[in-house]
Coordinates of all heavy atoms in Angstrom, one line a residue:
I1 N 0.8 -1.2 0.0 CA 0.0 0.0 0.0 C 0.9 1.2 0.0 O 1.8 1.4 0.8 CB -0.9 0.0 1.2 CG1 -1.7 -1.3 1.3 CG2 -1.9 1.3 1.2 CD1 -2.6 -1.6 0.1
V2 N 0.6 2.1 -0.9 CA 1.3 3.4 -1.0 C 0.2 4.5 -0.6 O -0.9 4.4 -1.1 CB 1.8 3.7 -2.4 CG1 2.5 5.1 -2.5 CG2 2.8 2.7 -2.8
F3 N 0.6 5.5 0.2 CA -0.4 6.5 0.6 C -0.1 7.8 -0.1 O 1.0 8.2 -0.2 CB -0.4 6.8 2.1 CG -1.4 7.8 2.5 CD1 -2.7 7.6 2.5 CD2 -0.9 9.1 2.7 CE1 -3.7 8.5 2.8 CE2 -1.9 10.1 3.1 CZ -3.2 9.8 3.1
A4 N -1.2 8.4 -0.7 CA -1.1 9.7 -1.3 C -2.0 10.7 -0.6 O -3.2 10.5 -0.7 CB -1.4 9.6 -2.8
G5 N -1.4 11.7 0.0 CA -2.1 12.8 0.6 C -2.2 13.9 -0.4 O -1.9 13.8 -1.6
G6 N -2.4 15.1 0.1 CA -2.6 16.2 -0.8 C -2.2 17.6 -0.2 O -2.4 17.8 1.0
I7 N -1.5 18.4 -1.0 CA -1.3 19.8 -0.7 C -2.3 20.6 -1.5 O -2.2 20.6 -2.7 CB 0.2 20.2 -1.0 CG1 1.2 19.4 -0.1 CG2 0.4 21.7 -0.7 CD1 2.6 19.6 -0.5
W8 N -3.3 21.2 -0.9 CA -4.5 21.6 -1.5 C -4.2 22.9 -2.4 O -4.5 24.0 -1.9 CB -5.6 21.9 -0.5 CG -6.3 20.7 -0.1 CD1 -5.8 19.6 0.6 CD2 -7.7 20.4 -0.4 NE1 -6.8 18.7 0.8 CE2 -7.9 19.1 0.2 CE3 -8.7 21.1 -1.0 CZ2 -9.2 18.5 0.2 CZ3 -9.9 20.5 -1.1 CH2 -10.2 19.2 -0.5
K9 N -3.8 22.7 -3.6 CA -3.6 23.8 -4.5 C -4.6 23.8 -5.7 O -4.3 24.4 -6.7 CB -2.1 23.8 -5.1 CG -1.8 22.7 -5.9 CD -0.3 22.7 -6.5 CE -0.1 23.8 -7.5 NZ -0.8 23.5 -8.8
W10 N -5.7 23.2 -5.5 CA -6.6 23.0 -6.6 C -8.0 23.6 -6.3 O -8.9 23.2 -7.0 CB -6.7 21.5 -7.0 CG -7.2 20.6 -5.8 CD1 -8.5 20.4 -5.5 CD2 -6.4 19.9 -4.9 NE1 -8.6 19.5 -4.4 CE2 -7.3 19.2 -4.1 CE3 -5.0 19.7 -4.8 CZ2 -6.8 18.3 -3.1 CZ3 -4.6 18.9 -3.8 CH2 -5.5 18.2 -2.9
T11 N -8.1 24.4 -5.4 CA -9.5 24.9 -5.1 C -9.6 26.4 -5.2 O -10.7 27.0 -4.8 CB -9.9 24.6 -3.6 OG1 -8.9 25.1 -2.7 CG2 -9.9 23.1 -3.4
G12 N -8.7 27.1 -5.8 CA -8.8 28.6 -6.0 C -7.5 29.2 -6.4 O -6.7 28.5 -7.1
M13 N -7.2 30.4 -6.0 CA -6.0 31.1 -6.4 C -4.9 31.0 -5.4 O -3.8 31.6 -5.6 CB -6.4 32.6 -6.6 CG -7.5 32.8 -7.7 SD -7.1 32.1 -9.3 CE -5.8 33.2 -9.8
G14 N -5.1 30.2 -4.4 CA -4.0 30.0 -3.4 C -4.1 28.7 -2.8 O -5.1 28.0 -2.9
V15 N -3.1 28.3 -2.1 CA -3.1 27.0 -1.4 C -4.0 27.0 -0.2 O -4.0 27.9 0.6 CB -1.7 26.6 -0.9 CG1 -1.7 25.2 -0.2 CG2 -0.7 26.6 -2.1
H16 N -4.9 26.0 -0.1 CA -5.8 25.9 1.1 C -5.0 25.2 2.2 O -5.1 24.0 2.4 CB -7.0 25.1 0.7 CG -8.1 25.2 1.7 ND1 -7.9 25.5 3.0 CD2 -9.5 25.0 1.5 CE1 -9.1 25.4 3.6 NE2 -10.0 25.1 2.7
Y17 N -4.2 26.0 3.0 CA -3.4 25.4 3.9 C -4.1 24.8 5.2 O -3.7 23.8 5.7 CB -2.3 26.4 4.4 CG -1.0 26.2 3.6 CD1 -0.5 27.2 2.8 CD2 -0.3 25.0 3.6 CE1 0.6 27.1 2.0 CE2 0.8 24.8 2.8 CZ 1.3 25.9 2.0 OH 2.4 25.7 1.3
E18 N -5.2 25.4 5.5 CA -6.0 24.9 6.7 C -6.4 23.5 6.4 O -6.3 22.6 7.2 CB -7.2 25.8 6.9 CG -8.0 25.3 8.1 CD -9.2 26.2 8.4 OE1 -9.4 27.2 7.7 OE2 -9.9 25.9 9.4
K19 N -6.9 23.3 5.1 CA -7.3 21.9 4.8 C -6.1 21.0 4.6 O -6.2 19.8 5.0 CB -8.1 22.0 3.4 CG -8.8 20.7 3.0 CD -9.9 20.3 3.9 CE -10.7 19.1 3.3 NZ -11.8 18.7 4.2
T20 N -5.1 21.5 4.1 CA -3.8 20.7 4.0 C -3.4 20.2 5.3 O -3.1 19.0 5.5 CB -2.7 21.5 3.3 OG1 -3.1 21.9 2.0 CG2 -1.4 20.7 3.2
F21 N -3.3 21.1 6.3 CA -2.8 20.7 7.6 C -3.8 19.7 8.4 O -3.3 18.7 8.9 CB -2.6 21.9 8.5 CG -1.6 22.9 8.0 CD1 -1.7 24.2 8.2 CD2 -0.5 22.4 7.2 CE1 -0.7 25.1 7.7 CE2 0.5 23.2 6.7 CZ 0.4 24.6 6.9
C22 N -5.1 20.0 8.3 CA -6.0 19.2 9.1 C -6.2 17.8 8.6 O -6.7 16.9 9.3 CB -7.3 20.0 9.3 SG -8.4 20.0 7.9
T23 N -5.8 17.6 7.3 CA -5.9 16.3 6.7 C -4.6 15.5 6.8 O -4.5 14.3 6.9 CB -6.4 16.3 5.3 OG1 -5.5 17.1 4.5 CG2 -7.8 16.9 5.2
T24 N -3.5 16.3 6.6 CA -2.2 15.6 6.5 C -1.7 15.1 7.9 O -1.2 14.0 7.9 CB -1.1 16.6 6.0 OG1 -1.5 17.0 4.7 CG2 0.2 16.0 5.9
F25 N -1.9 15.8 9.0 CA -1.4 15.4 10.3 C -2.0 14.0 10.6 O -1.3 13.1 10.9 CB -1.7 16.4 11.3 CG -0.6 17.5 11.4 CD1 -0.7 18.7 10.8 CD2 0.6 17.2 12.2 CE1 0.3 19.6 10.8 CE2 1.6 18.1 12.2 CZ 1.4 19.4 11.6
P26 N -3.3 13.8 10.6 CA -3.9 12.5 11.0 C -3.5 11.4 10.0 O -3.2 10.3 10.4 CB -5.4 12.7 11.0 CG -5.7 14.0 10.2 CD -4.4 14.8 10.4
A27 N -3.4 11.8 8.7 CA -3.1 10.8 7.7 C -1.7 10.2 7.9 O -1.5 9.0 7.9 CB -3.3 11.4 6.3
L28 N -0.8 11.1 8.1 CA 0.6 10.6 8.2 C 0.9 10.0 9.5 O 1.8 9.1 9.6 CB 1.6 11.8 7.8 CG 1.5 12.3 6.4 CD1 2.6 13.3 6.1 CD2 1.4 11.2 5.4
H29 N 0.3 10.4 10.5 CA 0.4 9.7 11.8 C -0.1 8.3 11.7 O 0.6 7.3 12.1 CB -0.4 10.4 12.9 CG 0.3 11.6 13.6 ND1 1.5 11.5 14.2 CD2 0.0 12.9 13.6 CE1 1.9 12.6 14.7 NE2 1.0 13.5 14.3
V30 N -1.2 8.1 11.0 CA -1.7 6.7 10.8 C -0.8 5.9 9.8 O -0.7 4.7 10.0 CB -3.2 6.8 10.2 CG1 -3.7 5.4 9.8 CG2 -4.1 7.4 11.3
C31 N -0.2 6.6 8.9 CA 0.8 5.9 8.0 C 1.9 5.3 8.8 O 2.3 4.1 8.7 CB 1.3 6.8 6.9 SG 0.2 7.1 5.6
H32 N 2.4 6.1 9.7 CA 3.5 5.5 10.6 C 3.0 4.4 11.5 O 3.6 3.4 11.7 CB 4.1 6.7 11.5 CG 5.0 7.6 10.7 ND1 6.1 7.2 10.0 CD2 5.0 9.0 10.6 CE1 6.7 8.2 9.5 NE2 6.0 9.3 9.8
E33 N 1.8 4.6 12.0 CA 1.2 3.7 13.0 C 0.9 2.3 12.3 O 1.1 1.3 12.9 CB -0.1 4.3 13.5 CG -1.0 3.4 14.3 CD -2.3 4.1 14.6 OE1 -2.4 5.3 15.0 OE2 -3.4 3.5 14.3
T34 N 0.5 2.3 11.0 CA 0.1 1.1 10.3 C 1.2 0.5 9.5 O 1.0 -0.5 8.7 CB -1.1 1.4 9.4 OG1 -0.8 2.5 8.5 CG2 -2.3 1.7 10.3
G35 N 2.4 1.1 9.5 CA 3.6 0.5 8.8 C 3.6 0.8 7.3 O 4.3 0.1 6.6
I36 N 3.0 1.8 6.9 CA 3.1 2.2 5.4 C 4.5 2.7 5.2 O 5.1 3.5 6.0 CB 2.1 3.3 5.1 CG1 0.6 2.8 5.3 CG2 2.3 3.8 3.7 CD1 0.3 1.6 4.5
R37 N 5.1 2.3 4.1 CA 6.5 2.6 3.8 C 6.7 3.6 2.7 O 7.8 4.2 2.6 CB 7.2 1.3 3.4 CG 7.2 0.2 4.4 CD 8.0 -1.0 4.0 NE 7.6 -1.6 2.7 CZ 8.3 -2.3 1.9 NH1 9.6 -2.6 2.2 NH2 7.8 -2.8 0.8
H38 N 5.7 3.9 1.9 CA 5.8 4.8 0.8 C 4.7 5.9 0.8 O 3.5 5.5 0.9 CB 5.8 4.1 -0.5 CG 6.8 3.0 -0.6 ND1 8.1 3.2 -0.9 CD2 6.7 1.6 -0.5 CE1 8.8 2.1 -0.9 NE2 8.0 1.1 -0.6
V39 N 5.1 7.1 0.8 CA 4.1 8.2 0.9 C 4.5 9.3 0.0 O 5.6 9.6 -0.3 CB 4.2 8.8 2.4 CG1 3.4 10.1 2.5 CG2 3.6 7.8 3.4
F40 N 3.4 9.9 -0.6 CA 3.7 11.2 -1.4 C 2.5 12.1 -1.3 O 1.4 11.7 -1.0 CB 4.1 10.8 -2.9 CG 3.0 10.2 -3.7 CD1 2.1 11.0 -4.5 CD2 2.8 8.8 -3.8 CE1 1.2 10.4 -5.3 CE2 1.9 8.2 -4.5 CZ 1.0 9.0 -5.3
A41 N 2.8 13.4 -1.6 CA 1.8 14.4 -1.6 C 1.4 14.7 -3.1 O 2.3 15.0 -3.9 CB 2.3 15.6 -0.9
T42 N 0.1 14.7 -3.4 CA -0.3 15.1 -4.7 C -0.5 16.7 -4.7 O -0.8 17.2 -3.6 CB -1.7 14.5 -5.1 OG1 -2.7 14.9 -4.1 CG2 -1.6 13.0 -5.1
M43 N -0.3 17.3 -5.8 CA -0.5 18.7 -5.9 C -1.2 19.0 -7.2 O -0.7 19.4 -8.2 CB 0.8 19.5 -5.9 CG 1.6 19.3 -4.6 SD 2.7 20.6 -4.1 CE 3.7 20.8 -5.6
W44 N -2.5 18.7 -7.2 CA -3.3 18.7 -8.4 C -3.5 20.1 -8.9 O -3.5 21.1 -8.1 CB -4.7 18.1 -8.2 CG -4.6 16.6 -7.8 CD1 -4.9 16.0 -6.6 CD2 -4.2 15.5 -8.7 NE1 -4.7 14.7 -6.7 CE2 -4.2 14.3 -7.9 CE3 -3.8 15.5 -10.0 CZ2 -3.9 13.1 -8.4 CZ3 -3.4 14.2 -10.5 CH2 -3.5 13.1 -9.7
G45 N -3.7 20.2 -10.2 CA -4.0 21.5 -10.9 C -5.4 21.7 -11.3 O -5.9 22.7 -11.5
D46 N -6.1 20.5 -11.4 CA -7.5 20.4 -11.8 C -7.8 21.3 -13.0 O -7.4 20.9 -14.1 CB -8.4 20.8 -10.6 CG -8.5 19.6 -9.6 OD1 -7.6 18.7 -9.6 OD2 -9.5 19.5 -8.8
D47 N -8.5 22.4 -12.8 CA -9.1 23.1 -14.0 C -8.1 24.1 -14.7 O -8.6 24.9 -15.5 CB -10.4 23.7 -13.7 CG -11.4 22.7 -13.2 OD1 -11.4 21.6 -13.8 OD2 -12.1 23.0 -12.2
G48 N -6.9 24.1 -14.3 CA -6.0 25.1 -15.0 C -4.7 25.4 -14.3 O -3.9 26.2 -14.8

């Protein structure tokens, strides 16, 4: 299992850091807890 989180750059004209932080902290803590070995952050562009 590889885990892919996100740095929220796809919802407007700036990075949505509040959403990035509140999702990344629990996700990556659980990755360490469950023995996931490979992790990356997506940075989607979506509509442009």
Side-chain angles (χ1 to χ4, degrees):
I1 306 303
V2 178
F3 179 75
I7 300 172
W8 278 67
K9 65 178 288 290
W10 59 85
T11 57
M13 301 303 291
V15 181
H16 191 337
Y17 267 117
E18 182 180 2
K19 188 70 171 177
T20 298
F21 297 148
C22 75
T23 57
T24 298
F25 274 96
L28 296 190
H29 277 300
V30 170
C31 283
H32 285 305
E33 175 188 306
T34 55
I36 298 301
R37 301 185 300 159
H38 305 282
V39 166
F40 65 93
T42 61
M43 299 204 310
W44 298 111
D46 282 21
D47 299 322

